[in-house]
Amino acid sequence: MRFEFHAPTRILFGPGAIRELPSSAATLGERVLAVTGRDRGRTAPLLDQLRAAVGGVSVFSVPGEPTLERVRAGLEQARADRCDLVVGIGGGSVLDAGKALAALLTNGGDPLDYLEIIGTGRTLSRPSAPFVAVPTTAGTGAEVTRNAVLVSPEYYVKASLRSPFMYPRVAVVDPELTHTLPQALTASTGLDALTQLIEPFVSTSANPLTDALCRDGMTRAARSLRRACEDGRNAAAREDMALASLLGGLALANAKLGAVHGCAAVIGGRYPAPHGAVCARLLPVVIAANVAALHDRSRDAPALRRYEEIARILTGRPEATIADGIRWAYTLCADLEVPRLGRHGMVAADIPAVVAEAQRASSTKGNPIALTDGELAEALRQAL
């Protein structure tokens, strides 16, 4: 057995943890680029506290998923305002933009110089500027990962800027920041968190440390995702989901993902589709495809036993089978009204192109078995 595990981020977790943001930021820099989402009103009190603690705060908004052009604009603003610290307060898109900006501040160049797939893939040579991540959703785990997913409308794809230098210096994870999330966003981000616990658990790079994180995270998500959607003020459920998201981030940063995320990256680049909702719709059909392929070509694979364990965790039943786990996932998607892929504009004629791109995606490389183009296409057809 041989594996590596990286967790260089200082994590501050718990209700009220946000109160430690100003003092933590003040130890890392003097001029802050504060990256926020569309609604600056939600972050205004935090920005005021930051201004009182550091020399200056320049605010930059990322209203949607971070495009290359938006990142370039943020980099120009950060340089003009001589920022030496980046603080991201928002969902996964905001945190990914913040990580990218922190990396580019010290390494120079354009995002395309370093992006996978569509860029030249240059290696970052210098540590990023200090980055503090404050998630306000419970889904991506981006507060503890070493990549930033950026959107290129020109290439119709999402691609990652990735480096060990990109880990946030500090992650402030306060479940109370998620209490006001609407039901739909709670569902889509929560389902993303669940997917990011299941895929590393069966991935080709799973290891004992990521296994432990995934088992605990899946248990928390299975018991609390519905409760968080039904009652956003349920503090115990929100805490479970914030921790599940954090554990999923740590797991995927040290193991790999799979075909769900490989397809979701392509679909998200082609259509205006929320990442978590796409992952949720794909999860049961990809599990079914993986299980069928494993039975057909690798019946002794450990992943089959792991899918059985996942079913027991999700259903809470020690006698549950893989089929029970797949049904649980289908039922959850239906109950939380997760839209089919066709609702985002995808049609059957698009499937071959999506399959071709998904097969090249880095996430797909971690799938427990290499799915054929036909197997992947059939899974997509079932999710349309």
Side-chain angles (χ1 to χ4, degrees):
M1 181 186 300
R2 184 186 182 282
F3 64 88
E4 294 184 17
F5 190 91
H6 299 267
T9 303
R10 179 188 176 208
I11 300 169
L12 306 174
F13 182 94
I18 193 61
R19 290 192 287 272
E20 300 185 51
L21 172 62
S23 59
S24 296
T27 66
L28 298 173
E30 296 182 351
R31 296 192 62 82
V32 174
L33 178 72
V35 185
T36 70
R38 179 181 290 106
D39 183 6
R40 290 192 184 185
R42 292 188 64 198
T43 57
L46 295 179
L47 296 177
D48 289 341
Q49 294 166 26
L50 274 177
R51 290 187 181 96
V54 300
V57 175
S58 177
V59 182
F60 180 73
S61 293
V62 179
E65 295 193 338
T67 64
L68 299 184
E69 284 304 314
R70 198 70 193 135
V71 169
R72 290 173 182 131
L75 186 60
E76 182 178 348
Q77 179 175 323
R79 287 172 174 161
D81 293 338
R82 305 189 311 281
C83 296
D84 58 0
L85 166 65
V86 181
V87 176
I89 308 171
S93 294
V94 168
L95 301 189
D96 277 355
K99 278 186 284 187
L101 288 166
L104 292 167
L105 264 178
T106 55
N107 283 272
D110 185 81
L112 278 175
D113 295 334
Y114 307 98
L115 273 179
E116 299 172 345
I117 302 176
I118 59 172
T120 57
R122 275 174 47 193
T123 301
L124 295 174
S125 60
R126 298 185 182 90
S128 298
F131 176 58
V132 179
V134 184
T136 59
T137 64
T140 66
E143 65 272 16
V144 287
T145 60
R146 55 183 173 181
N147 70 301
V149 181
L150 307 182
V151 179
S152 172
E154 299 90 343
Y155 291 92
Y156 302 102
V157 73
K158 294 180 179 180
S160 281
L161 196 162
R162 191 186 310 271
S163 170
F165 286 143
M166 290 178 61
Y167 280 108
R169 192 75 60 86
V170 180
V172 182
V173 185
D174 189 334
E176 292 180 345
L177 297 179
T178 68
H179 284 196
T180 58
L181 284 181
Q183 191 272 343
L185 190 55
T186 299
S188 65
T189 55
L191 288 161
D192 186 23
L194 178 60
T195 306
Q196 291 177 170
L197 292 159
I198 291 174
E199 288 205 299
F201 190 64
V202 298
S203 83
T204 56
S205 296
N207 66 65
L209 293 181
T210 58
D211 287 350
L213 298 173
C214 292
R215 286 187 177 103
D216 187 70
M218 285 188 287
T219 299
R220 293 177 184 276
R223 76 188 182 198
S224 290
L225 179 50
R226 287 178 183 272
R227 291 191 295 156
C229 291
E230 292 166 356
D231 177 12
R233 295 289 181 177
N234 185 320
R238 289 296 195 183
E239 185 169 297
D240 263 355
M241 291 310 301
L243 190 51
S245 176
L246 174 66
L247 296 174
L250 290 168
L252 73 88
N254 288 281
K256 293 182 179 179
L257 290 165
V260 171
H261 274 82
C263 291
V266 177
I267 293 168
R270 285 173 163 264
Y271 315 99
H275 175 74
V278 173
C279 287
R281 179 50 64 185
L282 289 171
L283 181 62
V285 296
V286 170
I287 291 176
N290 284 343
V291 169
L294 288 164
H295 275 300
D296 184 48
R297 302 193 291 278
S298 188
R299 190 173 289 272
D300 295 329
L304 284 173
R305 295 190 294 276
R306 287 176 174 255
Y307 277 125
E308 290 175 350
E309 184 177 352
I310 289 168
R312 294 193 292 269
I313 291 172
L314 296 182
T315 64
R317 292 165 39 211
E319 77 283 2
T321 65
I322 294 176
D324 293 325
I326 294 172
R327 277 192 294 271
W328 185 94
Y330 270 119
T331 300
L332 184 65
C333 287
D335 291 349
L336 298 183
E337 300 179 345
V338 176
R340 303 189 69 82
L341 299 183
R343 291 272 299 277
H344 305 301
M346 185 174 172
V347 296
D350 299 334
I351 289 177
V354 172
V355 168
E357 292 180 41
Q359 293 284 36
R360 295 194 298 269
S362 58
S363 291
T364 305
K365 308 306 181 187
N367 208 55
I369 187 167
L371 296 175
T372 66
D373 288 357
E375 289 167 338
L376 202 52
E378 179 57 29
L380 288 169
R381 274 191 288 271
Q382 292 179 28
L384 269 182

